[in-house]
Amino acid sequence: MIVVEMMVLLASMFEIKYADYSTASTILLSIVGLIVLYKTCKPFNVLRVTVYVGCILGLIGSCVFLPWLFGITLPSKECIVLLILIAITINTLLSFTTKIVNLVRNGFIKIRNKIKSIFNN
């Protein structure tokens, strides 16, 4: 969501057409999905490699053979540059948001454990 919002905001600043940044947003979400799938598949075995490679091939096949299904068009040069710049930041954003989610989760676990200990005594 953060990555797509960055794309939309920057695209409006640089007056990039809707069709261009819509395609770029789809590509960015695909990249995020593949990164999350990669981290989920670790440690890799034959089945997980098959799933991961199958998803990559399915994504590429969809873009090549079914672009109308996802509203994919050839983006402008400006949009491609913006897409590359945002794609470079994806891993950092994912790491940062993962840390925040873990901190919040651990905080809730501590609160839950304190409440349980109060009621158990």
Side-chain angles (χ1 to χ4, degrees), residues 9-121:
L9 289 173
L10 291 172
S12 66
M13 286 174 53
F14 293 107
E15 299 177 359
I16 295 174
K17 295 178 185 175
Y18 172 79
D20 290 345
Y21 74 79
S22 174
T23 296
S25 296
T26 302
I27 293 168
L28 287 171
L29 281 176
S30 300
I31 292 169
V32 170
L34 289 174
I35 291 171
V36 170
L37 183 61
Y38 176 82
K39 291 180 179 189
T40 303
C41 285
K42 283 183 172 181
F44 281 99
N45 58 27
V46 174
L47 177 61
R48 292 177 178 174
V49 167
T50 304
V51 168
Y52 191 70
V53 171
C55 286
I56 292 172
L57 293 175
L59 180 64
I60 293 169
S62 296
C63 290
V64 171
F65 298 111
L66 303 169
W68 51 269
L69 185 63
F70 300 102
I72 295 177
T73 61
L74 187 60
S76 63
K77 292 176 187 175
E78 296 86 4
C79 190
I80 291 172
V81 170
L82 198 56
L83 172 65
I84 291 169
L85 291 174
I86 294 173
I88 291 170
T89 66
I90 288 176
N91 201 32
T92 304
L93 285 172
L94 282 175
S95 297
F96 181 70
T97 54
T98 300
K99 287 179 183 180
I100 290 173
V101 168
N102 285 336
L103 284 172
V104 171
R105 186 185 75 212
N106 290 338
F108 280 123
I109 290 171
K110 286 180 183 178
I111 292 170
R112 184 187 68 196
N113 289 340
K114 285 183 182 181
I115 292 171
K116 280 184 180 181
S117 68
I118 290 171
F119 287 111
N120 287 337
N121 290 334

Side-chain angles (χ1 to χ4, degrees), residues 2-14:
I2 295 169
V3 174
V4 171
E5 188 61 34
M6 283 175 52
M7 185 68 204
V8 170
L9 289 173
L10 291 172
S12 66
M13 286 174 53
F14 293 107

